[in-house]
Short mmCIF file of all heavy atoms in Angstrom, two decimals:
data_model
loop_
_atom_site.label_atom_id
_atom_site.label_comp_id
_atom_site.label_asym_id
_atom_site.label_seq_id
_atom_site.Cartn_x
_atom_site.Cartn_y
_atom_site.Cartn_z
N LEU A 1 4.46 13.90 18.51
CA LEU A 1 5.35 14.46 17.50
C LEU A 1 6.27 13.40 16.90
O LEU A 1 6.55 13.41 15.70
CB LEU A 1 6.18 15.59 18.11
CG LEU A 1 5.45 16.90 18.40
CD1 LEU A 1 6.35 17.87 19.15
CD2 LEU A 1 4.96 17.56 17.10
N SER A 2 6.72 12.47 17.73
CA SER A 2 7.62 11.43 17.22
C SER A 2 6.87 10.39 16.40
O SER A 2 7.47 9.74 15.52
CB SER A 2 8.34 10.75 18.39
OG SER A 2 7.44 10.03 19.21
N LEU A 3 5.58 10.24 16.65
CA LEU A 3 4.77 9.27 15.90
C LEU A 3 4.46 9.74 14.49
O LEU A 3 4.36 8.92 13.56
CB LEU A 3 3.46 9.00 16.64
CG LEU A 3 3.43 7.86 17.66
CD1 LEU A 3 2.15 7.93 18.48
CD2 LEU A 3 3.55 6.50 16.98
N ARG A 4 4.28 11.03 14.31
CA ARG A 4 3.80 11.55 13.03
C ARG A 4 4.65 11.11 11.84
O ARG A 4 4.10 10.62 10.84
CB ARG A 4 3.71 13.08 13.10
CG ARG A 4 2.57 13.57 13.97
CD ARG A 4 2.53 15.08 14.02
NE ARG A 4 1.59 15.57 15.04
CZ ARG A 4 1.44 16.84 15.36
NH1 ARG A 4 2.16 17.78 14.72
NH2 ARG A 4 0.57 17.19 16.28
N PRO A 5 5.98 11.29 11.86
CA PRO A 5 6.76 10.88 10.70
C PRO A 5 6.70 9.38 10.43
O PRO A 5 6.74 8.95 9.27
CB PRO A 5 8.19 11.32 11.04
CG PRO A 5 8.20 11.51 12.52
CD PRO A 5 6.83 11.94 12.88
N VAL A 6 6.58 8.57 11.48
CA VAL A 6 6.49 7.12 11.31
C VAL A 6 5.18 6.76 10.61
O VAL A 6 5.15 5.95 9.68
CB VAL A 6 6.59 6.39 12.66
CG1 VAL A 6 6.44 4.89 12.48
CG2 VAL A 6 7.92 6.71 13.34
N LEU A 7 4.09 7.39 11.02
CA LEU A 7 2.79 7.14 10.40
C LEU A 7 2.78 7.62 8.95
O LEU A 7 2.18 6.98 8.08
CB LEU A 7 1.68 7.82 11.20
CG LEU A 7 1.50 7.33 12.64
CD1 LEU A 7 0.40 8.13 13.34
CD2 LEU A 7 1.18 5.84 12.68
N GLU A 8 3.47 8.74 8.69
CA GLU A 8 3.56 9.24 7.31
C GLU A 8 4.35 8.26 6.44
O GLU A 8 3.99 8.02 5.28
CB GLU A 8 4.22 10.62 7.30
CG GLU A 8 3.34 11.72 7.88
CD GLU A 8 4.08 13.05 8.02
OE1 GLU A 8 5.26 13.10 7.61
OE2 GLU A 8 3.48 14.01 8.53
N SER A 9 5.42 7.70 6.99
CA SER A 9 6.20 6.72 6.24
C SER A 9 5.38 5.48 5.94
O SER A 9 5.44 4.93 4.84
CB SER A 9 7.46 6.33 7.03
OG SER A 9 8.36 7.42 7.12
N ALA A 10 4.60 5.03 6.92
CA ALA A 10 3.73 3.89 6.70
C ALA A 10 2.70 4.19 5.62
O ALA A 10 2.38 3.33 4.78
CB ALA A 10 3.03 3.50 8.00
N GLY A 11 2.19 5.42 5.62
CA GLY A 11 1.24 5.82 4.60
C GLY A 11 1.85 5.78 3.21
O GLY A 11 1.19 5.38 2.24
N CYS A 12 3.11 6.18 3.10
CA CYS A 12 3.81 6.13 1.81
C CYS A 12 3.97 4.69 1.33
O CYS A 12 3.79 4.39 0.14
CB CYS A 12 5.17 6.80 1.91
SG CYS A 12 5.10 8.58 2.15
N LEU A 13 4.32 3.79 2.26
CA LEU A 13 4.47 2.38 1.89
C LEU A 13 3.13 1.78 1.47
O LEU A 13 3.06 1.01 0.51
CB LEU A 13 5.04 1.59 3.07
CG LEU A 13 6.49 1.88 3.46
CD1 LEU A 13 6.87 1.08 4.70
CD2 LEU A 13 7.44 1.55 2.32
N GLU A 14 2.07 2.16 2.17
CA GLU A 14 0.73 1.65 1.83
C GLU A 14 0.30 2.17 0.47
O GLU A 14 -0.29 1.43 -0.33
CB GLU A 14 -0.26 2.10 2.90
CG GLU A 14 -1.69 1.61 2.69
CD GLU A 14 -1.83 0.12 2.87
OE1 GLU A 14 -1.20 -0.43 3.78
OE2 GLU A 14 -2.56 -0.50 2.07
N GLN A 15 0.59 3.43 0.19
CA GLN A 15 0.22 4.01 -1.09
C GLN A 15 0.96 3.33 -2.23
O GLN A 15 0.37 3.02 -3.28
CB GLN A 15 0.53 5.51 -1.10
CG GLN A 15 0.11 6.21 -2.39
CD GLN A 15 0.39 7.70 -2.36
OE1 GLN A 15 0.88 8.22 -1.36
NE2 GLN A 15 0.10 8.39 -3.44
N THR A 16 2.24 3.07 -2.05
CA THR A 16 3.03 2.37 -3.07
C THR A 16 2.47 0.99 -3.32
O THR A 16 2.37 0.53 -4.46
CB THR A 16 4.50 2.26 -2.62
OG1 THR A 16 5.03 3.55 -2.39
CG2 THR A 16 5.33 1.57 -3.69
N LEU A 17 2.07 0.31 -2.25
CA LEU A 17 1.51 -1.03 -2.37
C LEU A 17 0.19 -0.99 -3.13
O LEU A 17 -0.10 -1.84 -3.97
CB LEU A 17 1.30 -1.61 -0.97
CG LEU A 17 1.04 -3.10 -0.84
CD1 LEU A 17 2.21 -3.90 -1.40
CD2 LEU A 17 0.80 -3.49 0.60
N THR A 18 -0.64 0.02 -2.85
CA THR A 18 -1.94 0.16 -3.50
C THR A 18 -1.79 0.47 -4.99
O THR A 18 -2.52 -0.06 -5.83
CB THR A 18 -2.77 1.26 -2.83
OG1 THR A 18 -2.91 0.95 -1.44
CG2 THR A 18 -4.14 1.39 -3.46
N GLU A 19 -0.81 1.33 -5.32
CA GLU A 19 -0.61 1.72 -6.71
C GLU A 19 -0.19 0.55 -7.58
O GLU A 19 -0.44 0.53 -8.79
CB GLU A 19 0.45 2.82 -6.79
CG GLU A 19 -0.04 4.16 -6.26
CD GLU A 19 1.07 5.19 -6.18
OE1 GLU A 19 2.24 4.81 -6.38
OE2 GLU A 19 0.77 6.37 -5.92
N LYS A 20 0.43 -0.45 -6.97
CA LYS A 20 0.91 -1.60 -7.74
C LYS A 20 -0.18 -2.63 -8.00
O LYS A 20 0.01 -3.56 -8.77
CB LYS A 20 2.07 -2.29 -7.00
CG LYS A 20 3.34 -1.46 -7.01
CD LYS A 20 4.47 -2.23 -6.38
CE LYS A 20 5.76 -1.43 -6.46
NZ LYS A 20 6.90 -2.15 -5.85
N LYS A 21 -1.33 -2.48 -7.35
CA LYS A 21 -2.41 -3.44 -7.54
C LYS A 21 -3.04 -3.26 -8.91
O LYS A 21 -3.22 -2.13 -9.38
CB LYS A 21 -3.48 -3.27 -6.45
CG LYS A 21 -3.01 -3.73 -5.09
CD LYS A 21 -4.14 -3.69 -4.09
CE LYS A 21 -3.68 -4.23 -2.74
NZ LYS A 21 -4.76 -4.23 -1.74
N PRO A 22 -3.38 -4.33 -9.58
CA PRO A 22 -4.02 -4.24 -10.90
C PRO A 22 -5.39 -3.59 -10.80
O PRO A 22 -6.06 -3.69 -9.77
CB PRO A 22 -4.13 -5.70 -11.36
CG PRO A 22 -4.05 -6.50 -10.10
CD PRO A 22 -3.20 -5.72 -9.15
N SER A 23 -5.80 -2.94 -11.86
CA SER A 23 -7.07 -2.21 -11.85
C SER A 23 -8.27 -3.13 -12.00
O SER A 23 -9.38 -2.75 -11.73
CB SER A 23 -7.09 -1.18 -12.99
OG SER A 23 -6.86 -1.82 -14.24
N SER A 24 -8.06 -4.36 -12.46
CA SER A 24 -9.16 -5.31 -12.61
C SER A 24 -8.80 -6.63 -11.96
O SER A 24 -7.64 -6.87 -11.63
CB SER A 24 -9.47 -5.52 -14.09
OG SER A 24 -8.32 -6.02 -14.75
N ASN A 25 -9.80 -7.48 -11.77
CA ASN A 25 -9.56 -8.76 -11.13
C ASN A 25 -8.59 -9.62 -11.92
O ASN A 25 -8.76 -9.82 -13.12
CB ASN A 25 -10.88 -9.53 -10.95
CG ASN A 25 -11.71 -8.95 -9.82
OD1 ASN A 25 -11.21 -8.22 -8.99
ND2 ASN A 25 -12.99 -9.27 -9.83
N ALA A 26 -7.57 -10.13 -11.23
CA ALA A 26 -6.58 -10.98 -11.88
C ALA A 26 -7.11 -12.40 -11.97
O ALA A 26 -8.04 -12.80 -11.27
CB ALA A 26 -5.27 -10.95 -11.08
N VAL A 27 -6.52 -13.18 -12.86
CA VAL A 27 -6.93 -14.57 -13.03
C VAL A 27 -6.29 -15.41 -11.93
O VAL A 27 -5.12 -15.26 -11.61
CB VAL A 27 -6.48 -15.08 -14.42
CG1 VAL A 27 -6.84 -16.55 -14.58
CG2 VAL A 27 -7.13 -14.25 -15.51
N VAL A 28 -7.08 -16.30 -11.34
CA VAL A 28 -6.59 -17.17 -10.28
C VAL A 28 -5.80 -18.33 -10.88
O VAL A 28 -6.31 -19.06 -11.74
CB VAL A 28 -7.76 -17.73 -9.45
CG1 VAL A 28 -7.26 -18.73 -8.42
CG2 VAL A 28 -8.51 -16.59 -8.77
N ASP A 29 -4.56 -18.48 -10.46
CA ASP A 29 -3.73 -19.60 -10.90
C ASP A 29 -3.93 -20.75 -9.91
O ASP A 29 -3.27 -20.84 -8.89
CB ASP A 29 -2.25 -19.17 -10.94
CG ASP A 29 -1.36 -20.24 -11.55
OD1 ASP A 29 -1.79 -21.41 -11.63
OD2 ASP A 29 -0.22 -19.92 -11.94
N ARG A 30 -4.85 -21.65 -10.25
CA ARG A 30 -5.23 -22.70 -9.32
C ARG A 30 -4.07 -23.63 -8.97
O ARG A 30 -3.96 -24.10 -7.84
CB ARG A 30 -6.39 -23.52 -9.90
CG ARG A 30 -7.70 -22.75 -9.99
CD ARG A 30 -8.75 -23.56 -10.75
NE ARG A 30 -8.94 -24.88 -10.18
CZ ARG A 30 -9.78 -25.14 -9.18
NH1 ARG A 30 -10.50 -24.16 -8.65
NH2 ARG A 30 -9.90 -26.36 -8.70
#
């Protein structure tokens, strides 16, 4: 029971991180 909210919070952080990723391949700045 104590783990569930922590895992949900991690899921929210992961989702936010995923949403910020560009939809196509970015150009590599060598």
Side-chain angles (χ1 to χ4, degrees):
L1 287 174
S2 66
L3 270 169
R4 289 179 190 175
V6 178
L7 298 178
E8 289 173 3
S9 292
C12 291
L13 291 176
E14 181 69 39
Q15 182 178 359
T16 302
L17 195 60
T18 303
E19 288 173 352
K20 289 185 177 180
K21 289 186 177 181
S23 57
S24 60
N25 285 342
V27 177
V28 175
D29 187 343
R30 291 173 55 86

